[in-house]
Structures are given as structure tokens and as C-alpha cells.
Amino acid sequence: MTSAATAPQPGADTIYFGGPIITINQASPSAEAVAIKDGKIVAVGARASVFAAEKGSATTLYDLKGRTLIPGFVDAHSHFTDVSLQAVTANLLSPPDGPVKTIPDMQAVLRGFISTSPMVKAHGVVIGMNLDDSQLEERRFPTRHDLDAVSTELPIFVTHQSGHLAVLNSRALAMVGITADTPSPAGGAIEREADGRTPDGVLKETAFFAIMPKMVPAFTPGEYRQNIEAAQRIYIENGFTTVQDGKTSAANVAALPVLNAEGVLKIDIVAYPDLVAVGDAPVLDGPLMSREYTGHLRIGGVKVTLDGSPQGKTAWFTEPYFKAPDGEEVDYAGLPAFTDETLQPLVDMAYTNHWQLLAHINGDAAIDQLIRVVSKAQSCHGYPDSRTVMVHGQFLRADQIPALKTLGIFPALFPMHTFYWGDWHRQSVAGPERAENISPTGWVLQSGLMTSIHSDAPVVFPNSMVLISTAVNRTTRSGYVLGPAQRLTPLQALYAMTLWPAYQHFEEGSKGSIEVGKRADLLILSANPLTAPVRTLDQIKVDETIKDGISIYQRERAP
């Protein structure tokens, strides 16, 4: 018999009211009140009707006081576990996100990091992340000699902001075994000095990916947990209630379930292991490979990387780069990671096993390749609702979009490039004409397809409102509006951060909109993005993040 003390209380746990409520539900776009019970949405509508149906003696009445309630954000492509590494490494970002404008600035940051970092003290390695040569006054990526000027005793490893190349000092090169006799691997490059043999420290694409595990310290379980908690705080403070971990390493595939079982994860993490690294490992056939979460973790599918980054000039184009990188011929068009013959078996494996496939692609030649191999896989293996995802698609051509629609390939685009590298794309990468239509969200929506937008963190800091602002305004660092026809409206940008990425992850039935029966993943914004001046969207703050009906973050505000 249930005692009075433990009997279920009638009515909702919480009712939100008193401010704009943007439901992201076309059938009922706005509401006056939302009721939550047991982590689910139980009523949405007029304030009087919601109160009459759901207000009980134990119901908490939450007055928004004019602030705006929306669904929780979904980061449609991100590297959650890499953000945990970023949290403990040297910040080499350029303004507005970091201090580095020159190579001497980089050297000064690294020296300061060496003197203060617990990681350097504990593990004897120096890692700096997110250096962007396009923003350096020298307009070049550093070499081993620039890092040797910081230290020749400690190994130093500095990654490019694209996440597709790095530079090592002489000590680090020796540590990973790269010498003048080491050949460049397929799909990558070991850059050389003037003699054509001596490595200058710069490693691109597969050459970089191969040495990455050797450079990252073997963190203790306690250190790893602290790093993950730091990464999670960043996402929560930006209103993300679901985050993708793209290209999850084998080590992180093993470590994340442990933290999940310990209750460390407070938001949902959907992981996509690197198919090349993991292959047909048993974890891909285990219980975590599911459309349902165990706690706050599931494996959503697998990822492959077809080319590099346009800002790092390794993306694979059908036309040459506007200005070829130093040391390359004028017809240089980037670095494909695979031939069709080597890629097809990987895609076939995903389709045969009904694993959702994410494909990192930036250049239009790589998109052509994806279309070819997916078309063949679908004709041979079926799986029509595969929701294969084209991640980034920076240089998607208009004539390629019908094939995406036919094959059901979901375009997860990256309009943050318009601000961070729009000028660089116009002046050096692709030239003014091709650069105009990077991340062509306008074309995609006009075709009738959905799209999501993402941070690709740690490539870019996962600031949710900056992400929305860049998609809406498409303004470069210099103030140029890049591709006005590709701009999203604020409402479309909200869809691209909520319901559409939920669909991308096969989660549209439980997330992405404020509807009865869905999970109470919500956030409160300081202002209404649908009525605020579009130039001020990046100034809107996340005041509170709510996961499954529980508040997990509240921004400190002046009384």
C-alpha cells in the first residue's frame, strides 16, 4: 500500500510561463505555458488551460519574467572528447577567441603554458591547439624551428584550428619516429625543408592523424574525468543538451561508458567512432550501438573522413585552389583520403550493418565521391532510411543537391566559416566567386531538404548564439556579407539547432521541439531571437539549461 508521503502528487512538477515560448512546432509555433512532469512535456498551450489541467499543490510555477523558452540545442557535429583535451592545453586561438596574432605571440603563450600547466609537469609534453595561419601576421604556419625556439628538451605539438594538420618540434618528431627517410602516407603529407628530405615539422591529414595518439598523454582516470567534466560545462553553459562526439577514438569509446555508468554525463552524448580506426570492433555490435541511450550515452553510427579542410588547404576540390599552398603546383586541388576502391568497402560495411554513416567532407570533389559510393552501396545493400550525413559540405555545388535528396544524404553544414574564414576563402582558398556560396544553407532549404548547423568544436568554440548569428548574418571578420542568398532566418537557424539535428540523429520523436510527450530538454534565453535585431543575436545569453526537466545550469545575473 502506498503511503500518503510517497503517493504520486497530482499535477505537473513545473509549469513555465511569463515569456515567449518558441515551440519549434509548425502546427503550434508558440505557447503561453509549458508543463513538465517526470522529465517529459505533458502540456503546451494557453496559460489558463495548462494551469487548469496541470497545476497541483506541489507544482513549481516558474515565471520567465519576459525571457524566452526554447528547446535545448543539439550540436549536430562536434568533437566532445577533443574539447576535453582543449580544456587542458594551450589556447592558441586568434582574436576574438584567443590572444595569438603572430608567431612570437604563439611562442609567448607556449612558454607561459610550460611554466604553469599541470599537464606539462605531470606528463612532460606540451600541446597547443587551434593555431590559425590565416590570422597570423606572417600568413604562414610555424615550423619545427619556431617551436624549437620555445624548447628543444620538451616535445611540443601544435594543432591547426582545422584539426587536420599540426607542427611538431624536433624533440616531438624524434619521439614519434619521423625522419628524413619517413615517406608521406597516402592521403597525407610530411612537409620538407629546402633539401627536399628533412621534415620541417608540419604534418598534414593522415600523417597528422597517425601520430596524434602518440602525442596525447596517457591521462589517469581522475585526470580524464576532470577533462570530460570541463568539456561538458562548456556545452551546458551554451545551452546544448545533446552533443555529438564525431570520430570517437578507440580509447574514448572504451572510457566514456565508464564515466556514463558513474553518472558523470549530464547531457546526451551520441558517439560516432572512427570506422578506419575501430573497424569491426565488438563495440559496434554491442548494446551501446543503439537508437536508445544508456544513461546519457549511445553510439549512433560510424564516421569516415574523405578529405581535409579548406582553411588548411587540404580539402579536395574539382578546381585548383585560388592560391596554391607553398611548395605545391598551381593546379593543386587538395588531398583525397581514399580512392573509390578503398572507400567503397567501408561504406558497404556501414550499410550492411545498418550503421548510420557520417562522412567528413569539405571539397566538391569529395562530395562527388560520396555520392558515387553511397549510390552503389544503396543499390547493393538497401537501407533506404540510412540518413547518411555529409558533415561540413563547405563547397557543396548546387548541381549536387538533387543527388543528396535522391540518396537521402543529410547535409550538416558549417556556416561559422563565414565569419572565421570567409575572408581567407575569398582571398586565398577558393577566390571570390566560389567562396560566396560556402555552407549553402539557402540552396539546401530551397530544395526542400532540412539542414543542421554545428560548431565542430574544438575547431570553433561551441558558442551557440555565435553559431546562430553566423548562419543568419554571414558576415566575415572584415564586415563583408558572404553569400546573402545563403542566409537563414532566425527561425530557420533555431530549427537547424534543434529539430532538424534531432532528425539527423533519428531523435525527432523525442527531442528538438516543445511538444507533449517529448523530453523536457529546454533552455531559457535572455532575449527572443525572433524579435531581437539580427546584428545582436550573438549577444543573447543562455540563462538556464534544463535537461530532462532538471535545471543543470543557471547563469549568474546581476540582481
Side-chain angles (χ1 to χ4, degrees):
M1 181 175 178
T2 303
S3 69
T6 60
Q9 296 293 316
D13 297 329
T14 308
I15 297 176
Y16 294 90
F17 68 98
I21 297 173
I22 304 171
T23 65
I24 310 297
N25 175 9
Q26 288 185 335
S28 183
S30 62
E32 294 179 339
V34 175
I36 308 300
K37 188 174 182 65
D38 297 330
K40 297 287 184 69
I41 299 168
V42 294
V44 183
R47 173 174 169 172
S49 62
V50 171
F51 272 55
E54 297 296 338
K55 182 177 177 294
S57 59
T59 300
T60 298
L61 301 180
Y62 193 119
D63 187 348
L64 295 168
K65 297 182 179 180
R67 296 174 298 161
T68 300
L69 185 73
I70 67 170
F73 288 137
V74 178
D75 201 341
H77 181 68
S78 189
H79 303 273
F80 174 74
T81 48
D82 286 349
V83 174
S84 75
L85 179 62
Q86 184 185 37
V88 294
T89 56
N91 174 13
L92 301 181
L93 286 162
S94 297
D97 300 318
V100 176
K101 299 178 182 179
T102 65
I103 288 175
D105 288 345
M106 173 205 71
Q107 292 168 328
V109 170
L110 290 173
R111 290 187 184 104
F113 180 74
I114 289 170
S115 67
T116 61
S117 167
M119 185 183 76
V120 175
K121 183 177 181 180
H123 298 283
V125 63
V126 183
I127 300 178
M129 291 181 66
N130 288 6
L131 187 69
D132 183 4
D133 58 316
S134 75
Q135 300 306 310
L136 297 180
E137 290 181 7
E138 295 88 348
R139 284 294 192 272
R140 70 171 177 85
F141 204 57
T143 68
R144 66 184 178 93
H145 300 291
D146 298 306
L147 299 188
D148 286 348
V150 176
S151 176
T152 55
E153 296 179 358
L154 290 166
I156 304 177
F157 172 64
V158 167
T159 65
H160 189 269
Q161 192 171 357
S162 67
H164 284 257
L165 56 148
V167 59
L168 284 65
N169 71 345
S170 299
R171 178 72 182 86
L173 286 171
M175 189 176 84
V176 300
I178 291 179
T179 70
D181 296 324
T182 307
S184 291
I190 299 172
E191 296 296 300
R192 313 287 174 169
E193 295 184 353
D195 63 6
R197 295 189 70 248
T198 306
D200 73 359
V202 177
L203 308 179
K204 296 181 176 180
E205 300 301 332
T206 54
F208 158 53
F209 300 145
I211 62 91
M212 180 76 172
K214 301 176 182 178
M215 293 301 305
V216 176
F219 292 114
T220 67
E223 289 172 330
Y224 183 80
R225 176 174 178 152
Q226 289 176 352
N227 298 349
I228 290 293
E229 288 175 331
Q232 183 171 236
R233 281 194 299 273
I234 293 170
Y235 285 100
I236 290 173
E237 290 172 4
N238 281 281
F240 290 105
T241 52
T242 301
V243 174
Q244 185 186 109
D245 188 46
K247 202 173 183 178
T248 313
S249 69
N252 284 314
V253 168
L256 283 174
V258 176
L259 296 185
N260 184 48
E262 293 173 351
V264 171
L265 301 183
K266 306 301 180 186
I267 56 177
D268 290 339
I269 307 299
V270 53
Y272 288 81
D274 179 2
L275 184 55
V276 172
V278 175
D280 57 356
V283 69
L284 298 184
D285 292 316
L288 281 176
M289 178 66 84
S290 172
R291 300 277 168 81
E292 303 297 326
Y293 286 89
T294 297
H296 288 295
L297 180 66
R298 72 181 179 95
I299 296 176
V302 292
K303 184 182 179 186
V304 293
T305 299
L306 272 61
D307 72 344
S309 76
Q311 69 270 39
K313 295 191 176 181
T314 54
W316 182 25
F317 291 156
T318 55
E319 298 179 25
Y321 278 79
F322 190 62
K323 294 182 180 179
D326 291 343
E328 299 290 352
E329 301 294 332
V330 293
D331 62 350
Y332 171 80
L335 296 173
F338 300 98
T339 64
D340 284 16
E341 291 71 27
T342 55
L343 179 61
Q344 192 70 57
L346 295 171
V347 176
D348 289 344
M349 185 189 304
Y351 271 74
T352 300
N353 288 282
H354 285 200
W355 298 333
Q356 187 185 25
L357 178 67
L358 306 189
H360 165 107
I361 296 172
N362 275 301
D364 62 328
I367 298 171
D368 283 337
Q369 183 181 55
L370 179 71
I371 290 168
R372 290 193 300 269
V373 297
V374 166
S375 178
K376 186 173 181 180
Q378 287 192 4
S379 65
C380 294
H381 307 291
Y383 193 22
D385 190 20
S386 57
R387 301 190 196 179
T388 294
V389 181
M390 178 189 69
V391 175
H392 307 323
Q394 285 297 341
F395 286 86
L396 174 66
R397 303 190 312 264
D399 67 283
Q400 293 172 318
I401 294 175
L404 301 187
K405 195 169 184 179
T406 298
L407 296 170
I409 296 174
F410 187 98
L413 302 182
F414 190 15
M416 267 192 166
H417 263 252
T418 56
F419 173 77
Y420 281 94
W421 297 287
D423 294 322
W424 180 242
H425 290 326
R426 293 182 73 243
Q427 298 161 5
S428 187
V429 174
E433 184 176 348
R434 277 192 290 168
E436 200 73 12
N437 296 307
I438 61 171
S439 280
T441 47
W443 285 348
V444 167
L445 294 188
Q446 290 163 18
S447 77
L449 288 172
M450 292 176 276
T451 186
S452 61
I453 58 178
H454 56 266
S455 75
D456 200 25
V459 172
V460 173
F461 191 80
N463 185 318
S464 54
M465 296 311 302
V466 169
L467 177 49
I468 286 174
S469 177
T470 56
V472 170
N473 292 301
R474 290 184 67 98
T475 303
T476 70
R477 291 176 188 262
S478 69
Y480 179 82
V481 177
L482 187 63
Q486 306 295 357
R487 288 182 291 197
L488 297 182
T489 67
L491 182 59
Q492 289 169 338
L494 288 179
Y495 267 86
M497 291 273 285
T498 55
L499 186 59
W500 294 341
Y503 174 88
Q504 173 191 317
H505 289 125
F506 291 93
E507 296 182 10
E508 72 275 15
S510 61
K511 295 178 180 177
S513 61
I514 300 176
E515 297 182 65
V516 172
K518 289 195 172 184
R519 296 172 68 169
D521 291 357
L522 308 167
L523 61 114
I524 299 169
L525 298 177
S526 63
N528 186 344
L530 303 187
T531 58
V534 294
R535 295 294 183 186
T536 67
L537 287 171
D538 60 350
Q539 299 172 31
I540 295 175
K541 304 298 183 184
V542 173
D543 278 351
E544 188 166 351
T545 304
I546 299 143
K547 181 74 179 91
D548 293 321
I550 298 172
S551 177
I552 57 174
Y553 165 71
Q554 294 182 28
R555 181 173 70 95
E556 292 186 9
R557 296 185 294 150

